[in-house]
Amino acid sequence: MALLEVTDLVVEFPNRRGVLTAVDGISFSIDEGEVLGVVGESGAGKSMTGSAIIGLLEPPGRIAGGEIRLEGERIDNLPYEKMRRIRGARIGAIFQDPLTSLNPLYTIGRQLVETIATHRDVSDSQAERQAIDLLAEVGIPAPDQRFGSFPHEFSGGMRQRVVIALALCVNPRLIVADEPTTALDVSIQAQVIALLKRLCREHGTAVMLITHDMGVIAETADRVAVMYAGRIAEIGAVRDVIKDARHPYTEGLMGSIPLVGHNVARLTQIEGAMPRLTEIPIGCAFNPRCRRSFERCRAVRPDLMATGGASRAACWLYDQDDADV
Amino acid sequence: MAIGTLRRLELARRRFLDSDIWYSFTRSRVTVAAAIVAVAIILGAVLAPWVAPYDPFDLASLELLDAHTPPSWLEDGETRFLIGTDDQGRDLLSAILYGSRVSIWVGFASVAFSLVLGVGLGLISGYAGGKIDAFIMRVAEIQLSFPTILIALLIDGVMRGLLPPDMRDQLAVMVLILAIGVSGWVQYARTVRGSTMVEKNKEYVQAARLIGIHPIIIMSRHILPNAMGPVLVIATIHLALAIITEATLSFLGVGVPATEPSLGTLIRIGNDFLFSGEWWITFFPGATLAFLVLSVNLLGDWLRDALNPKLR
Amino acid sequence: MTDLILSRMPATLELSILSAVLALAIGVPMGVYTGLHRDNFLSKCFMTVSLIGVSLPTFLIGILLIYVFAVSLNVLPSFGRGPTVDIGGWRTGLLTLGGLKALIMPSITLGLFQMTLIMRLVRAEMLEVLRTDYIKFARARGLTNRAVNFGHALKNTLVPVITITGLQLGSIIAFAIITETVFQWPGMGLLFLQSIQTVDIPIMAAYLMLIALFFVVINLTVDLLYYVVDPRLRIEREVDGT
């Protein structure tokens, strides 16, 4: 049984002009200890999916359909208090900007102890001990001194380590990491990613790594889901998707990444832009930009299907009945 | 493009009606009600000479016998004085209409003065930078730490001291507008200065400077339109404050002269008669003032929410 | 002449401080409530009351209160301080029942405007804070609503509120002029007003200098308070192990 199972998830935003569908029926699963990358352009729906999973969709956004199951139990329809107990303890989250993720008025020690004490029944000194150990684990020098420091006294990379410590302190089974390195310097990014990878391997924590940076995915993830306009275009093992992309969109993405050693005169560019939520085309959302689209693509929306390769893609090119390849 | 003006107007009208601003306006019943009340009072004030049943300043028409008449629906009331008379026999309804006139005129004029002064100084401060900016901002800070009412009182008091007694009454309204206006420029200046500093560094401004366009034109044509949104919001809030300040000063006896009573003056007059049970002389001017300020505040609130990009 | 002003100072200060305390005691909780429960019926009531508080000029509120409680109901005195007691030069009205009764209406009048300002400020700050990333992260860590709203959100809200309120104290002392006029309260404000009407320059000057002194002291205190409350203002070494 998978750790996390998402089935036909739909996230909607009602507004005065109607209803915007940010996530339109996606399904995927994450196994114990696995790192699933979720990649896509801004607006593709990746962050929405993450927010929906941890139950912190901002109103008026809401889950309008589908199921989310954690270790078999449904969590998308739980009352606030029940979901609160799951948050932090069984599902953790990391957000993009470490500076704004920490309350500037409290020491990091206090913020750690508070989180531990909320979910575990331990004495204050035990919690403090655990917090200091955690700080050491994420690589903060002189952790017992730094316990009483405030967030603004740390540099960006250090802060993100503190954030990771906070997310992992009660040992959740799954972490939703929403663009954890985007706000960091490139040199720091690598270190933070390495840290995240190591800790999650050691604790056996699964990670849903949301990012627009394919490089990070290639480094860190086991499997990857490529999202486009609120749907999953392709999903499979990282190596397969990168080396042998099946969906035309993924192909375009891979082609647009500059690779050291490859002497290419021009990078591949996908014409056009991802459609706005209010203007999603009928049929396959990618069809106006796809060089291999045909009649059916413009009429019916494809679901994820087997492609003959290792990954699955939502593309009519792989439908056995259609001999139009 | 040769689109006729009529067509342009039509397009603008349609764009407006379809805009978020109009939508949020018509959706909020409270705001619409506030707008109606405000417009009613303002219209009444502007058209007072034609709408008021009597001229309360025509000393010849006043009859002391008519004094202290209660509103028409009470015992002893008379229908020709709809809401009663004051201690000198003046019809209260007319007095209120004329009084609103003064209150609104002083309010708008002070806000206009503050706006021009503040926006001007803000533009200069933000655009010029350096010592000029530092100086203006220092003055602003010092002024900001004093409450507006104190500043208005001060200026009024000083002017009063400087002018010869016979001119005091004549210029009182001007001095009042000056006092309230000067006490309020800082908010505008700060906002505009902020916008100016942001816009100043943008490429199109730098390009304009390179070409040699005069700074004043740059400021008015390019920078000003961007700052007008928040300025408008400040202005509506300031209008309410200005009206209150004028009423307060008049109530205290240091505002408009007795020859041109505003709502504040009327309330002061009525205050003397509260204890003898003649509540209407205070109540009706007070209610008018309250409704006026309330509607202006509501409109200001709505405007602020409508123009706030974060809430869209 | 300084004696004249100083002898009137206790009256004004007692009134002002009581008003400020009232404004805070009612304004802050109301602000927190309306910030947390935005679309509640009670919140809407509070917002309406605050709108009225901001729209009614101070003197009108005073007159209204006098009419209701002094003229109609005759339970509270309509002017003056009532019986006062002299403690080492400070004439206080807090120690007599009559004095306390006399303080009620003037302090409500003076404090109402401030109370609504504080309420709106707290509400706006609260809404702003509740939208921040650290609140989102706190929720994501599964902290209880109580911890999030009061432990984190409230504390961050109060920091700017403290400073602004402190600065408002000066404003209250100035607004006391109006309240003292309506209630014939024998304080500095009434003295100042009379000096304006009679163009008495020395008294005007003395009052202004005293006010300026108050402002300087208040500003200094607020600055120090800020330093104590917000750790970001204390310069410390940065941890840069990267």
Side-chain angles (χ1 to χ4, degrees):
Chain A
M1 182 184 59
L3 175 67
L4 181 79
E5 251 190 75
V6 175
T7 323
D8 290 327
L9 181 67
V10 177
V11 173
E12 283 181 346
F13 274 88
N15 78 354
R16 75 161 172 111
R17 292 187 214 261
V19 173
L20 288 179
T21 312
V23 175
D24 197 359
I26 63 171
S27 307
F28 62 91
S29 63
I30 306 184
D31 287 324
E32 294 258 1
E34 177 181 39
V35 177
L36 174 74
V38 178
V39 78
E41 302 171 46
S42 302
K46 337 184 275 292
S47 293
M48 289 292 151
T49 311
S51 300
I53 292 178
I54 55 177
L56 284 183
L57 271 179
E58 280 198 34
R62 55 157 205 235
I63 299 181
E67 290 186 352
I68 304 178
R69 283 179 188 271
L70 181 67
E71 293 176 319
E73 307 159 20
R74 272 190 79 168
I75 59 171
D76 55 289
N77 56 358
L78 290 180
Y80 187 85
E81 184 58 25
K82 289 222 171 91
M83 193 63 204
R84 176 188 79 74
R85 300 230 186 97
I86 294 183
R87 276 199 286 270
R90 292 167 70 195
I91 304 185
I94 298 178
F95 301 117
Q96 181 171 320
D97 193 346
L99 176 56
T100 54
S101 290
L102 297 170
N103 191 332
L105 300 182
Y106 287 134
T107 63
I108 56 161
R110 191 204 187 281
Q111 299 190 50
L112 272 165
V113 166
E114 186 184 25
T115 313
I116 296 175
T118 305
H119 294 281
R120 295 265 170 81
D121 196 11
V122 291
S123 71
D124 278 346
S125 49
Q126 280 177 314
E128 202 176 307
R129 192 72 251 152
Q130 287 180 18
I132 296 181
D133 289 340
L134 211 51
L135 285 177
E137 220 184 316
V138 295
I140 308 276
D144 30 353
Q145 287 171 6
R146 288 292 124 198
F147 184 82
S149 297
F150 291 95
H152 67 277
E153 300 178 53
F154 292 84
S155 67
M158 283 284 128
R159 265 184 232 129
Q160 196 63 308
R161 290 173 190 253
V162 171
V163 167
I164 293 177
L166 275 165
L168 284 174
C169 63
V170 213
N171 239 324
R173 302 282 77 224
L174 168 70
I175 295 234
V176 175
D178 194 346
E179 309 267 13
T181 52
T182 311
L184 301 173
D185 282 341
V186 178
S187 49
I188 314 271
Q189 275 184 24
Q191 295 177 15
V192 169
I193 284 291
L195 174 70
L196 194 59
K197 223 166 124 178
R198 174 172 65 83
L199 286 178
C200 292
R201 286 276 133 89
E202 281 174 17
H203 290 254
T205 318
V207 180
M208 179 175 161
L209 184 56
I210 301 173
T211 177
H212 59 264
D213 188 342
M214 239 1 244
V216 166
I217 298 280
E219 269 275 326
T220 332
D222 301 315
R223 285 162 62 230
V224 63
V226 178
M227 284 191 74
Y228 186 80
R231 306 255 300 158
I232 296 184
E234 184 165 352
I235 182 168
V238 160
R239 194 178 291 157
D240 292 330
V241 173
I242 293 185
K243 288 265 169 66
D244 188 21
R246 292 271 136 179
H247 195 284
Y249 175 61
T250 326
E251 259 177 21
L253 271 188
M254 297 306 142
S256 62
I257 299 174
L259 289 171
V260 177
H262 284 225
N263 243 329
V264 191
R266 279 191 102 181
L267 295 172
T268 335
Q269 204 186 12
I270 314 178
E271 268 170 34
M274 196 174 70
R276 302 213 317 240
L277 285 181
T278 44
E279 296 165 354
I280 298 191
I282 310 180
C284 170
F286 188 61
N287 83 67
R289 306 166 72 189
C290 183
R291 282 196 214 125
R292 294 154 72 181
S293 66
F294 47 92
E295 188 80 35
R296 197 165 179 209
C297 305
R298 289 182 273 278
V300 188
R301 207 171 61 174
D303 287 321
L304 284 172
M305 58 185 86
T307 60
S311 51
R312 293 188 298 144
C315 182
W316 292 126
L317 288 171
Y318 303 103
D319 189 7
Q320 302 304 335
D321 302 341
D322 247 311
D324 265 65
V325 182
Chain B
M1 278 281 205
I3 307 183
T5 343
L6 222 60
R7 176 115 173 87
R8 262 206 217 126
L9 281 175
E10 176 61 31
L11 284 174
R13 184 186 93 99
R14 262 203 243 135
R15 228 186 24 226
F16 176 71
L17 287 180
D18 193 37
S19 71
D20 283 323
I21 291 190
W22 184 248
Y23 179 79
S24 76
F25 181 77
T26 42
R27 272 292 224 94
S28 168
R29 288 174 302 183
V30 170
T31 318
V32 174
I36 294 179
V37 168
V39 166
I41 297 181
I42 294 179
L43 269 183
V46 165
L47 300 174
W50 298 277
V51 170
Y54 300 86
D55 179 356
F57 304 124
D58 182 6
L59 296 171
S61 68
L62 296 180
E63 286 250 3
L64 270 181
L65 284 178
D66 291 328
H68 302 284
T69 323
S72 53
W73 57 88
L74 291 181
E75 197 187 311
D76 283 345
E78 301 174 35
T79 38
R80 63 192 175 110
F81 299 126
L82 199 61
I83 46 178
T85 60
D86 68 356
D87 63 322
Q88 305 214 327
R90 276 190 284 239
D91 173 38
L92 214 50
L93 183 60
S94 316
I96 289 181
L97 283 172
Y98 276 87
S100 314
R101 212 155 187 242
V102 178
S103 296
I104 293 176
W105 157 242
V106 172
F108 271 100
S110 335
V111 170
F113 185 88
S114 267
L115 197 143
V116 169
L117 183 64
V119 169
L121 284 178
L123 276 175
I124 296 175
S125 193
Y127 196 79
K131 293 215 183 97
I132 301 181
D133 177 32
F135 176 70
I136 296 182
M137 280 298 110
R138 218 53 345 112
V139 171
E141 262 179 52
I142 296 177
Q143 189 176 320
L144 209 53
S145 52
F146 284 88
T148 24
I149 191 94
L150 205 56
I151 297 178
L153 261 174
L154 206 67
I155 297 182
D156 202 82
V158 164
M159 296 263 87
R160 207 172 274 268
L162 291 178
L163 295 173
D166 42 323
M167 298 224 357
R168 280 192 200 150
D169 263 8
Q170 274 183 321
L171 294 178
V173 175
M174 283 294 132
V175 168
L176 196 59
I177 295 178
L178 185 76
I180 302 179
V182 167
S183 66
W185 66 273
V186 176
Q187 275 283 60
Y188 300 98
R190 270 185 162 188
T191 316
V192 171
R193 172 182 180 264
S195 297
T196 310
M197 292 176 99
V198 164
E199 296 297 313
K200 185 173 80 157
N201 291 323
K202 294 200 178 157
E203 280 104 357
Y204 71 92
V205 172
Q206 291 177 350
R209 284 167 92 174
L210 250 143
I211 305 178
I213 300 186
H214 197 284
I216 295 189
I217 301 185
I218 298 183
M219 288 197 276
S220 49
R221 175 98 57 84
H222 299 289
I223 300 182
L224 199 54
N226 282 313
M228 281 324 269
V231 165
L232 212 59
V233 174
I234 295 178
T236 25
I237 300 175
H238 191 214
L239 183 61
L241 208 62
I243 296 179
I244 292 185
T245 311
E246 179 276 317
T248 307
L249 290 176
S250 300
F251 175 80
L252 294 176
V254 292
V256 291
T259 48
E260 283 185 64
S262 74
L263 291 173
T265 329
L266 292 175
I267 297 176
R268 175 164 60 98
I269 296 175
N271 199 20
D272 296 333
F273 301 102
L274 259 188
F275 282 90
S276 39
E278 283 143 26
W279 53 272
W280 59 90
I281 311 180
T282 312
F283 179 76
F284 289 108
T288 313
L289 183 65
F291 275 115
L292 181 60
V293 175
L294 197 64
S295 356
V296 172
N297 265 330
L298 281 171
L299 283 172
D301 263 358
W302 160 75
L303 197 65
R304 183 162 20 106
D305 284 346
L307 290 179
N308 185 352
K310 290 191 212 168
L311 291 179
R312 300 244 189 97
Chain C
M1 186 207 32
T2 6
D3 288 337
L4 181 58
I5 290 203
L6 287 180
S7 70
R8 316 263 290 208
M9 199 174 72
T12 304
L13 282 183
E14 272 185 15
L15 180 59
S16 307
I17 295 181
L18 189 59
S19 308
V21 166
L22 254 175
L24 274 173
I26 302 184
V28 170
M30 269 172 85
V32 170
Y33 185 85
T34 51
L36 288 178
H37 307 275
R38 274 189 80 174
D39 297 312
N40 214 321
F41 178 66
L42 198 57
S43 289
K44 296 214 165 107
C45 282
F46 283 158
M47 289 305 286
T48 314
V49 166
S50 90
L51 196 57
I52 297 179
V54 156
S55 308
L56 285 181
T58 316
F59 67 90
L60 209 56
I61 298 175
I63 294 178
L64 197 66
L65 284 175
I66 290 182
Y67 188 72
V68 171
F69 290 102
V71 177
S72 304
L73 298 177
N74 212 352
V75 290
L76 292 174
S78 63
F79 64 90
R81 285 182 83 185
T84 54
V85 173
D86 196 329
I87 306 184
W90 183 282
R91 191 152 271 286
T92 172
L94 296 171
L95 297 178
T96 59
L97 186 60
L100 284 173
K101 269 185 170 182
L103 262 173
I104 296 182
M105 289 202 295
S107 40
I108 294 181
T109 306
L110 189 54
L112 195 66
F113 190 74
Q114 297 304 320
M115 182 191 89
T116 51
L117 275 184
I118 291 177
M119 189 193 109
R120 288 174 147 224
L121 183 66
V122 168
R123 177 179 190 264
E125 266 307 305
M126 194 87 185
L127 289 177
E128 196 59 44
V129 164
L130 284 174
R131 277 204 299 240
T132 55
D133 276 348
Y134 56 83
I135 294 291
K136 194 165 161 213
F137 191 40
R139 284 198 215 278
R141 303 202 304 270
L143 298 183
T144 58
N145 256 340
R146 201 143 161 265
V148 172
N149 287 334
F150 294 98
H152 287 260
L154 186 58
K155 185 155 187 212
N156 285 71
T157 305
L158 287 182
V159 169
V161 168
I162 288 178
T163 46
I164 298 190
T165 311
L167 297 172
Q168 288 289 78
L169 190 60
S171 185
I172 291 186
I173 297 182
F175 268 88
I177 299 176
I178 306 168
T179 311
E180 288 179 18
T181 310
V182 173
F183 289 93
Q184 293 296 299
W185 192 265
M188 298 189 302
L190 191 55
L191 191 65
F192 180 62
L193 186 66
Q194 287 161 351
S195 73
I196 293 211
Q197 284 166 329
T198 54
V199 197
D200 184 345
I201 309 279
I203 301 229
M204 271 168 69
Y207 177 83
L208 286 170
M209 287 208 290
L210 201 56
I211 289 279
L213 185 66
F214 275 131
F215 274 104
V216 167
V217 167
I218 290 174
N219 274 323
L220 204 64
T221 318
V222 165
D223 275 344
L224 287 175
L225 212 66
Y226 223 147
Y227 181 83
V228 163
V229 161
D230 189 341
R232 285 170 286 191
L233 296 177
R234 307 174 213 157
I235 306 176
E236 317 225 335
R237 323 151 272 138
E238 210 186 69
V239 179
D240 197 25
T242 312

